[in-house]
Amino acid sequence: MGPNEKTDLELPEDTIVGSPLATRKTHTFDHIGSFATVAQYTPGRTRNRILMSIYIVLIKAKINVLLPFGPLAIMLHYLTGKHGWVFFFSLIGIIPLAERLGYATEQLASYTGPTVGGLLNATFGNATEMIISIYALNNGMIRVVQQSLLGSILSNMLLVLGCAFFTGGIVHCNKDQVFNKAAAVVNSGLLLMAVMGLMFPAVLHFTHSELHYGRSELALSRFSSCIMLVAYAGYLFFQLKSQHELYKPIGEEEVANENDSDDEDAPEITQWEAISWLAVLTVWVSILSGYLVDAIQGASESMNMPVAFISVILLPIVGNAAEHASAIMFAMKDKLDITLGVAIGSSTQISMFVIPFCVVVGWIMGRQMDLNFQLFETATLFITVLVVAFMLQEGTANYFKGLMLILCYLIVAASFFVHIDPVASD
C-alpha cells in the first residue's frame, strides 16, 4: 500500500506540472486552461502567470528591443521639442507595438474560431494604421490620412510582396513557387473595385462636373464608402463560410504538416490575457500615434522632406514592418498562400475596410474626409493594382517577379519624393 499511496499522492502534481512538459504538443490547451483556473484561486500562481505573460509578450520576441524608443520619443517631445527626433523615435517605437498587436490578435483568434478570427484580423490586423488615421483625422490632417493609407496599400502590394517573392525565389531557385490562383483573382477584383471607388470622386472633382460643387463629391464618397463596407462584409462571409474550400492552400500544406505545426499554432497565452494585451497595446499605440502625428509637419521641415513622402513611404513601412517580416518568412518556407494572405489580404483590408471606415468616422466627427485622393495618387494606385494583377494571374512566383515589384516600388517612392501635393501648396 505504501508505494500505491505514494503514487496516488504524486499523481495530481504530475498532472499539473509534469504532463505539459512531457506532452506539450497534445496538452497545450488543457495546460493553459488548468493553469488559468488554478491561477484564479492561488495568488502565487496568479503572480507567476502574470510574470510569464509579460515575459512572452514584452521580452521574449527579439523585436522588443525597440520598445524603449516609444517612451524616449515622449521624453524628447517635452525636453527638447525637436520634431525630427520625436518623429524618428516614435516611428521606431511603433514597430514592435504593431508586431505585438498582430501577435495578440493571432493568439485570441486561436480561441474564437475562423469566423470571429477573420473579423478580429480585419479589425486589429491594421489597427496601427487605423489609430494613426483617426488621430490625424481628429487634427484635421485629412491628406496625411489619405496618403498614409494609400502608402500602406502600395507598400504591401509592391515592397512586401516583392521582397517575399524575391527571397522565396532565391531560396527555391530551382523551381517556380505555386499559390492558389483563384483566391488571388478574387482579391485582385476587390482591389480594382476599391480603385473604382477612389477614381470617380477624383474624376468628378477634376472634370468640374459636380451637380453641387464641393458637396456632390463628398456625398458620393460617403455613399461609395458604405457600399465598399458592405462589399467587404460580403467578402468575409464568402471567404469564411460560403466558399472556404476555395481558400485552401495548394497541396493541402496545413493538413500534411499538421503535426509539425502544432507547436507553432498552439496559443502561448490565455484568452483573457490576449484580450487584456490587445487593450493595453492599443492604448499605447494610440498615445504614441498622437506624438507621431503632431511631429509630422515639423519633421518635414527639419529633415527637408515632403510631407507626401513621409506619409506615403515612411509611415506605411513602419506600420507594415511585422507583415513584411512574416510574409518573407512564409515565402522562404514555400507557403506562398499565407504570404499572399498577408500582403494582398492586408491591401484588400485597407482599401475596402480601413479607408471607407475612416470616411464614415470623419463623417461622424464632422470632418470632410472623402475618397478624392487627387489625380497623382489615384493614378499611382490604379497602375499598381494592374501590375500586381498581371503578376498574379499565372499562379506562380519567382525571384524575377519579386525584383520587378521591388523596382516598381522604388519608382513610386522617387515619384513621391519629388511630388508637391497640390492641396498642401494651396
Side-chain angles (χ1 to χ4, degrees):
M1 288 300 290
N4 291 337
E5 286 174 4
K6 186 179 179 183
T7 307
D8 291 339
L9 287 170
E10 288 180 349
L11 187 58
E13 187 183 349
D14 246 355
T15 327
I16 295 172
V17 182
S19 178
L21 295 174
T23 56
R24 183 179 173 186
K25 184 182 289 186
T26 54
H27 295 294
T28 308
F29 286 96
D30 299 334
H31 166 61
I32 288 177
S34 62
F35 205 169
T37 308
V38 174
Q40 292 174 1
Y41 300 103
T42 54
R45 287 186 181 274
T46 305
R47 187 176 65 253
N48 290 340
R49 186 61 210 166
I50 290 171
L51 291 173
M52 178 59 71
S53 180
I54 291 171
Y55 169 75
I56 290 170
V57 177
L58 296 184
I59 300 172
K60 187 178 176 183
K62 293 177 182 176
I63 198 170
N64 288 332
V65 297
L66 300 177
L67 281 174
F69 281 92
L72 207 55
I74 297 173
M75 287 171 57
L76 284 172
H77 174 80
Y78 290 107
L79 294 176
T80 65
K82 292 184 178 179
H83 293 293
W85 285 108
V86 173
F87 176 80
F88 179 70
F89 278 54
S90 301
L91 211 58
I92 296 176
I94 281 180
I95 293 175
L97 294 176
E99 193 275 335
R100 292 288 87 187
L101 205 55
Y103 169 80
T105 306
E106 288 173 8
Q107 294 292 302
L108 185 57
S110 62
Y111 291 101
T112 57
T115 307
V116 181
L119 292 171
L120 281 171
N121 283 320
T123 308
F124 287 102
N126 292 296
T128 310
E129 288 92 338
M130 288 174 69
I131 292 168
I132 292 174
S133 299
I134 290 170
Y135 260 94
L137 257 183
N138 195 38
N139 289 357
M141 302 169 74
I142 293 172
R143 288 299 290 158
V144 170
V145 176
Q146 291 177 331
Q147 290 173 336
S148 64
L149 293 178
L150 173 81
S152 289
I153 299 171
L154 297 176
S155 170
N156 274 308
M157 294 182 71
L158 294 176
L159 184 63
V160 175
L161 192 63
C163 289
F165 278 7
F166 184 75
T167 51
I170 293 293
V171 172
H172 304 277
C173 57
N174 57 341
K175 64 167 186 175
D176 270 1
Q177 292 181 287
V178 183
F179 55 84
N180 190 333
K181 187 165 66 173
V185 167
V186 171
N187 278 291
S188 298
L190 276 172
L191 286 166
L192 283 170
M193 180 182 175
V195 169
M196 184 166 60
L198 298 179
M199 185 174 285
F200 284 123
V203 171
L204 199 66
H205 176 81
F206 285 100
T207 55
H208 305 289
S209 55
E210 297 172 87
L211 182 62
H212 302 289
Y213 184 75
R215 287 186 296 165
S216 298
E217 173 193 329
L218 186 62
L220 176 63
S221 296
R222 288 169 176 173
F223 176 78
S224 299
S225 295
C226 294
I227 296 297
M228 288 160 77
L229 287 172
V230 170
Y232 188 73
Y235 164 69
L236 283 180
F237 179 80
F238 175 81
Q239 183 183 17
L240 299 170
K241 282 287 186 183
S242 174
Q243 299 283 336
H244 63 276
E245 293 291 327
L246 179 70
Y247 290 86
K248 283 193 174 180
I250 296 287
E252 297 291 328
E253 287 173 340
E254 269 83 3
V255 177
N257 298 325
E258 186 178 355
N259 293 330
D260 297 334
S261 61
D262 275 350
D263 283 337
E264 295 176 7
D265 296 338
E268 294 182 299
I269 56 177
T270 65
Q271 185 173 356
W272 285 107
E273 285 170 0
I275 293 170
S276 303
W277 280 115
L278 274 178
V280 169
L281 291 168
T282 303
V283 169
W284 183 225
V285 169
S286 304
I287 294 169
L288 209 50
S289 298
Y291 291 96
L292 181 71
V293 169
D294 290 340
I296 286 177
Q297 190 63 47
S300 170
E301 293 167 3
S302 65
M303 292 190 292
N304 197 23
M305 200 176 282
V307 174
F309 182 80
I310 291 174
S311 303
V312 177
I313 306 300
L314 295 186
L315 285 180
I317 286 177
V318 170
N320 297 330
E323 292 162 347
H324 202 151
S326 61
I328 291 174
M329 182 187 70
F330 285 122
M332 291 173 71
K333 291 180 179 178
D334 203 16
K335 295 182 178 180
L336 273 194
D337 289 293
I338 305 177
T339 295
L340 284 176
V342 170
I344 303 298
S346 183
S347 298
T348 306
Q349 278 182 13
I350 294 168
S351 58
M352 294 297 291
F353 174 70
V354 180
I355 290 177
F357 177 77
C358 286
V359 172
V360 173
V361 169
W363 191 1
I364 295 168
M365 286 180 175
R367 303 286 185 185
Q368 294 192 346
M369 167 79 182
D370 57 23
L371 294 178
N372 176 16
F373 279 42
Q374 303 298 316
L375 207 56
F376 184 82
E377 286 85 346
T378 307
T380 305
L381 178 63
F382 181 51
I383 298 298
T384 298
V385 171
L386 283 183
V387 167
V388 173
F390 275 112
M391 293 287 184
L392 299 179
Q393 67 177 351
E394 292 179 350
T396 60
N398 51 55
Y399 70 88
F400 182 63
K401 284 185 177 181
L403 181 63
M404 281 194 287
L405 290 174
I406 294 169
L407 295 177
C408 286
Y409 186 75
L410 292 178
I411 293 173
V412 169
S415 303
F416 276 99
F417 192 78
V418 297
H419 171 62
I420 298 174
D421 190 7
V423 177
S425 59
D426 290 344

